[in-house]
mmCIF file of all heavy atoms in Angstrom:
data_model
loop_
_atom_site.group_PDB
_atom_site.id
_atom_site.type_symbol
_atom_site.label_atom_id
_atom_site.label_comp_id
_atom_site.label_asym_id
_atom_site.label_seq_id
_atom_site.Cartn_x
_atom_site.Cartn_y
_atom_site.Cartn_z
ATOM 1 N N ASP L 1 84.480 109.080 124.335
ATOM 2 C CA ASP L 1 83.519 110.081 123.957
ATOM 3 C C ASP L 1 82.459 109.447 122.972
ATOM 4 O O ASP L 1 82.524 109.766 121.878
ATOM 5 C CB ASP L 1 84.261 111.192 123.258
ATOM 6 C CG ASP L 1 83.354 112.413 123.002
ATOM 7 O OD1 ASP L 1 82.214 112.469 123.389
ATOM 8 O OD2 ASP L 1 83.868 113.327 122.420
ATOM 9 N N PRO L 2 81.701 108.577 123.576
ATOM 10 C CA PRO L 2 80.683 107.809 122.667
ATOM 11 C C PRO L 2 79.778 108.646 121.947
ATOM 12 O O PRO L 2 79.155 108.243 120.960
ATOM 13 C CB PRO L 2 80.106 106.811 123.668
ATOM 14 C CG PRO L 2 80.161 107.477 124.968
ATOM 15 C CD PRO L 2 81.450 108.192 125.020
ATOM 16 N N GLU L 3 79.428 109.880 122.478
ATOM 17 C CA GLU L 3 78.370 110.642 121.844
ATOM 18 C C GLU L 3 78.900 111.469 120.593
ATOM 19 O O GLU L 3 78.077 111.912 119.807
ATOM 20 C CB GLU L 3 77.779 111.611 122.807
ATOM 21 C CG GLU L 3 76.950 110.944 123.930
ATOM 22 C CD GLU L 3 76.239 111.900 124.783
ATOM 23 O OE1 GLU L 3 76.490 113.162 124.517
ATOM 24 O OE2 GLU L 3 75.496 111.455 125.680
ATOM 25 N N HIS L 4 80.168 111.626 120.498
ATOM 26 C CA HIS L 4 80.746 112.502 119.442
ATOM 27 C C HIS L 4 81.853 111.877 118.568
ATOM 28 O O HIS L 4 82.146 112.418 117.557
ATOM 29 C CB HIS L 4 81.396 113.799 120.078
ATOM 30 C CG HIS L 4 80.482 114.530 120.935
ATOM 31 N ND1 HIS L 4 80.339 114.446 122.293
ATOM 32 C CD2 HIS L 4 79.501 115.415 120.586
ATOM 33 C CE1 HIS L 4 79.437 115.250 122.845
ATOM 34 N NE2 HIS L 4 78.847 115.838 121.755
ATOM 35 N N LYS L 5 82.376 110.641 118.942
ATOM 36 C CA LYS L 5 83.488 110.157 118.169
ATOM 37 C C LYS L 5 83.222 108.601 117.979
ATOM 38 O O LYS L 5 82.387 107.941 118.730
ATOM 39 C CB LYS L 5 84.823 110.283 118.857
ATOM 40 C CG LYS L 5 85.267 111.765 118.905
ATOM 41 C CD LYS L 5 86.630 111.828 119.567
ATOM 42 C CE LYS L 5 87.061 113.353 119.593
ATOM 43 N NZ LYS L 5 88.498 113.364 120.255
ATOM 44 N N VAL L 6 83.935 108.037 117.002
ATOM 45 C CA VAL L 6 83.990 106.551 116.893
ATOM 46 C C VAL L 6 85.459 106.191 116.936
ATOM 47 O O VAL L 6 86.271 106.988 116.671
ATOM 48 C CB VAL L 6 83.380 106.143 115.564
ATOM 49 C CG1 VAL L 6 81.934 106.443 115.472
ATOM 50 C CG2 VAL L 6 84.064 106.761 114.376
ATOM 51 N N LEU L 7 85.648 104.934 117.235
ATOM 52 C CA LEU L 7 87.032 104.312 117.350
ATOM 53 C C LEU L 7 87.014 103.091 116.303
ATOM 54 O O LEU L 7 86.106 102.351 116.355
ATOM 55 C CB LEU L 7 87.251 103.798 118.694
ATOM 56 C CG LEU L 7 88.700 103.155 119.023
ATOM 57 C CD1 LEU L 7 89.751 104.156 118.790
ATOM 58 C CD2 LEU L 7 88.695 102.492 120.378
ATOM 59 N N SER L 8 88.092 103.193 115.552
ATOM 60 C CA SER L 8 88.220 102.107 114.510
ATOM 61 C C SER L 8 89.556 101.382 114.621
ATOM 62 O O SER L 8 90.598 102.061 114.922
ATOM 63 C CB SER L 8 88.087 102.623 113.041
ATOM 64 O OG SER L 8 86.843 103.202 112.866
ATOM 65 N N HIS L 9 89.590 100.063 114.405
ATOM 66 C CA HIS L 9 90.833 99.245 114.389
ATOM 67 C C HIS L 9 90.758 98.395 113.203
ATOM 68 O O HIS L 9 89.718 98.082 112.648
ATOM 69 C CB HIS L 9 90.948 98.375 115.600
ATOM 70 C CG HIS L 9 91.538 99.076 116.804
ATOM 71 N ND1 HIS L 9 91.424 100.402 117.083
ATOM 72 C CD2 HIS L 9 92.250 98.627 117.902
ATOM 73 C CE1 HIS L 9 92.116 100.743 118.105
ATOM 74 N NE2 HIS L 9 92.668 99.577 118.700
ATOM 75 N N SER L 10 91.925 98.058 112.672
ATOM 76 C CA SER L 10 92.049 97.200 111.507
ATOM 77 C C SER L 10 92.213 95.767 111.833
ATOM 78 O O SER L 10 92.810 95.473 112.858
ATOM 79 C CB SER L 10 93.193 97.685 110.583
ATOM 80 O OG SER L 10 93.397 96.869 109.404
ATOM 81 N N PHE L 11 91.845 94.875 110.964
ATOM 82 C CA PHE L 11 92.071 93.464 111.154
ATOM 83 C C PHE L 11 93.606 93.185 111.129
ATOM 84 O O PHE L 11 94.359 93.851 110.440
ATOM 85 C CB PHE L 11 91.387 92.633 110.136
ATOM 86 C CG PHE L 11 89.818 92.637 110.113
ATOM 87 C CD1 PHE L 11 89.073 92.289 109.082
ATOM 88 C CD2 PHE L 11 89.120 92.925 111.398
ATOM 89 C CE1 PHE L 11 87.724 92.309 109.042
ATOM 90 C CE2 PHE L 11 87.831 92.950 111.371
ATOM 91 C CZ PHE L 11 87.062 92.641 110.260
ATOM 92 N N VAL L 12 93.985 92.004 111.730
ATOM 93 C CA VAL L 12 95.305 91.489 111.612
ATOM 94 C C VAL L 12 95.264 90.458 110.492
ATOM 95 O O VAL L 12 94.406 89.558 110.507
ATOM 96 C CB VAL L 12 95.773 90.831 112.900
ATOM 97 C CG1 VAL L 12 97.227 90.181 112.685
ATOM 98 C CG2 VAL L 12 95.907 91.896 113.998
ATOM 99 N N GLU L 13 96.184 90.656 109.424
ATOM 100 C CA GLU L 13 96.090 89.782 108.274
ATOM 101 C C GLU L 13 97.264 88.741 108.155
ATOM 102 O O GLU L 13 98.309 89.054 108.831
ATOM 103 C CB GLU L 13 96.061 90.633 106.993
ATOM 104 C CG GLU L 13 95.052 91.784 107.031
ATOM 105 C CD GLU L 13 93.703 91.420 106.766
ATOM 106 O OE1 GLU L 13 93.424 90.217 106.555
ATOM 107 O OE2 GLU L 13 92.801 92.283 106.699
ATOM 108 N N SER L 14 97.129 87.754 107.561
ATOM 109 C CA SER L 14 98.251 86.660 107.341
ATOM 110 C C SER L 14 97.968 85.946 106.119
ATOM 111 O O SER L 14 96.842 85.673 105.738
ATOM 112 C CB SER L 14 98.209 85.785 108.619
ATOM 113 O OG SER L 14 99.029 84.680 108.410
ATOM 114 N N PRO L 15 99.052 85.526 105.438
ATOM 115 C CA PRO L 15 98.778 84.600 104.218
ATOM 116 C C PRO L 15 98.424 83.262 104.597
ATOM 117 O O PRO L 15 97.932 82.497 103.740
ATOM 118 C CB PRO L 15 100.212 84.551 103.523
ATOM 119 C CG PRO L 15 101.118 84.906 104.713
ATOM 120 C CD PRO L 15 100.475 85.818 105.617
ATOM 121 N N GLU L 16 98.510 82.834 105.888
ATOM 122 C CA GLU L 16 98.084 81.577 106.425
ATOM 123 C C GLU L 16 96.781 81.740 107.243
ATOM 124 O O GLU L 16 96.409 82.788 107.643
ATOM 125 C CB GLU L 16 99.196 80.894 107.286
ATOM 126 C CG GLU L 16 100.439 80.640 106.579
ATOM 127 C CD GLU L 16 100.372 79.246 105.777
ATOM 128 O OE1 GLU L 16 99.389 78.554 105.849
ATOM 129 O OE2 GLU L 16 101.265 78.954 105.074
ATOM 130 N N MET L 17 96.058 80.613 107.506
ATOM 131 C CA MET L 17 94.878 80.673 108.333
ATOM 132 C C MET L 17 95.408 80.562 109.705
ATOM 133 O O MET L 17 95.468 79.454 110.394
ATOM 134 C CB MET L 17 93.897 79.498 107.970
ATOM 135 C CG MET L 17 93.402 79.627 106.580
ATOM 136 S SD MET L 17 92.167 78.339 106.315
ATOM 137 C CE MET L 17 91.611 78.652 104.664
ATOM 138 N N THR L 18 95.843 81.751 110.364
ATOM 139 C CA THR L 18 96.589 81.654 111.553
ATOM 140 C C THR L 18 95.614 81.928 112.733
ATOM 141 O O THR L 18 94.819 82.909 112.697
ATOM 142 C CB THR L 18 97.666 82.678 111.580
ATOM 143 O OG1 THR L 18 98.576 82.418 110.556
ATOM 144 C CG2 THR L 18 98.538 82.686 112.855
ATOM 145 N N ASN L 19 95.813 81.111 113.935
ATOM 146 C CA ASN L 19 95.003 81.378 115.085
ATOM 147 C C ASN L 19 96.046 81.857 116.108
ATOM 148 O O ASN L 19 97.175 81.474 116.180
ATOM 149 C CB ASN L 19 94.460 80.053 115.620
ATOM 150 C CG ASN L 19 93.272 79.546 114.680
ATOM 151 O OD1 ASN L 19 92.586 80.264 114.225
ATOM 152 N ND2 ASN L 19 93.345 78.175 114.466
ATOM 153 N N LEU L 20 95.572 82.876 116.973
ATOM 154 C CA LEU L 20 96.374 83.437 118.081
ATOM 155 C C LEU L 20 95.879 83.119 119.393
ATOM 156 O O LEU L 20 94.606 83.087 119.631
ATOM 157 C CB LEU L 20 96.431 84.929 117.877
ATOM 158 C CG LEU L 20 97.443 85.588 116.905
ATOM 159 C CD1 LEU L 20 97.116 85.330 115.499
ATOM 160 C CD2 LEU L 20 97.508 87.132 117.094
ATOM 161 N N TYR L 21 96.749 82.744 120.340
ATOM 162 C CA TYR L 21 96.344 82.504 121.741
ATOM 163 C C TYR L 21 97.357 83.279 122.584
ATOM 164 O O TYR L 21 98.593 83.241 122.370
ATOM 165 C CB TYR L 21 96.496 81.030 121.976
ATOM 166 C CG TYR L 21 95.615 80.085 121.144
ATOM 167 C CD1 TYR L 21 96.060 79.730 119.885
ATOM 168 C CD2 TYR L 21 94.359 79.716 121.487
ATOM 169 C CE1 TYR L 21 95.306 79.035 118.960
ATOM 170 C CE2 TYR L 21 93.666 78.946 120.635
ATOM 171 C CZ TYR L 21 94.084 78.589 119.349
ATOM 172 O OH TYR L 21 93.312 77.850 118.559
ATOM 173 N N THR L 22 96.918 83.995 123.591
ATOM 174 C CA THR L 22 97.700 84.776 124.410
ATOM 175 C C THR L 22 97.432 84.610 125.932
ATOM 176 O O THR L 22 96.377 84.105 126.268
ATOM 177 C CB THR L 22 97.607 86.239 124.046
ATOM 178 O OG1 THR L 22 96.279 86.729 124.442
ATOM 179 C CG2 THR L 22 97.886 86.595 122.606
ATOM 180 N N GLY L 23 98.397 84.951 126.756
ATOM 181 C CA GLY L 23 98.153 84.954 128.180
ATOM 182 C C GLY L 23 99.340 85.368 128.862
ATOM 183 O O GLY L 23 100.387 85.788 128.344
ATOM 184 N N ARG L 24 99.366 85.287 130.241
ATOM 185 C CA ARG L 24 100.424 85.561 131.150
ATOM 186 C C ARG L 24 100.510 84.608 132.291
ATOM 187 O O ARG L 24 99.479 84.085 132.767
ATOM 188 C CB ARG L 24 100.467 87.045 131.592
ATOM 189 C CG ARG L 24 99.234 87.409 132.305
ATOM 190 C CD ARG L 24 99.173 88.952 132.396
ATOM 191 N NE ARG L 24 100.064 89.387 133.393
ATOM 192 C CZ ARG L 24 100.670 90.685 133.450
ATOM 193 N NH1 ARG L 24 100.189 91.560 132.558
ATOM 194 N NH2 ARG L 24 101.480 91.015 134.409
ATOM 195 N N VAL L 25 101.709 84.254 132.754
ATOM 196 C CA VAL L 25 101.958 83.256 133.753
ATOM 197 C C VAL L 25 103.186 83.604 134.534
ATOM 198 O O VAL L 25 104.119 84.300 133.994
ATOM 199 C CB VAL L 25 102.015 81.866 133.122
ATOM 200 C CG1 VAL L 25 103.372 81.733 132.287
ATOM 201 C CG2 VAL L 25 101.963 80.650 134.113
ATOM 202 N N THR L 26 103.322 83.135 135.781
ATOM 203 C CA THR L 26 104.442 83.413 136.541
ATOM 204 C C THR L 26 105.119 82.079 136.855
ATOM 205 O O THR L 26 104.485 81.096 137.363
ATOM 206 C CB THR L 26 104.072 84.087 137.911
ATOM 207 O OG1 THR L 26 103.365 85.379 137.580
ATOM 208 C CG2 THR L 26 105.283 84.366 138.795
ATOM 209 N N THR L 27 106.443 82.007 136.650
ATOM 210 C CA THR L 27 107.145 80.784 136.991
ATOM 211 C C THR L 27 107.350 80.535 138.436
ATOM 212 O O THR L 27 107.320 81.517 139.295
ATOM 213 C CB THR L 27 108.586 80.856 136.230
ATOM 214 O OG1 THR L 27 109.310 81.972 136.777
ATOM 215 C CG2 THR L 27 108.471 80.968 134.707
ATOM 216 N N GLY L 28 107.449 79.267 138.860
ATOM 217 C CA GLY L 28 107.479 78.857 140.277
ATOM 218 C C GLY L 28 108.939 78.998 140.657
ATOM 219 O O GLY L 28 109.819 79.480 140.116
ATOM 220 N N ALA L 29 109.165 78.403 141.997
ATOM 221 C CA ALA L 29 110.517 78.529 142.616
ATOM 222 C C ALA L 29 111.521 77.689 141.794
ATOM 223 O O ALA L 29 112.721 78.011 141.858
ATOM 224 C CB ALA L 29 110.379 77.930 144.052
ATOM 225 N N ASP L 30 110.975 76.722 141.024
ATOM 226 C CA ASP L 30 111.824 75.851 140.223
ATOM 227 C C ASP L 30 112.110 76.579 138.834
ATOM 228 O O ASP L 30 112.814 75.901 137.957
ATOM 229 C CB ASP L 30 111.357 74.464 140.009
ATOM 230 C CG ASP L 30 109.988 74.458 139.408
ATOM 231 O OD1 ASP L 30 109.438 75.559 139.196
ATOM 232 O OD2 ASP L 30 109.505 73.395 139.156
#
């Protein structure tokens, strides 16, 4: 509803300078 509402999310915080990497994979026959 872009004409009437806004959407807000908060940052993810950490005491370290942390980098995040994500993904998905399918294992083979082995």
Side-chain angles (χ1 to χ4, degrees):
D1 190 3
E3 293 187 356
H4 302 97
K5 294 183 180 179
V6 295
L7 179 66
S8 299
H9 276 28
S10 178
F11 291 159
V12 176
E13 313 283 2
S14 169
E16 295 282 356
M17 297 181 179
T18 304
N19 295 320
L20 275 69
Y21 304 82
T22 64
R24 52 192 291 160
V25 68
T26 302
T27 59
D30 58 353

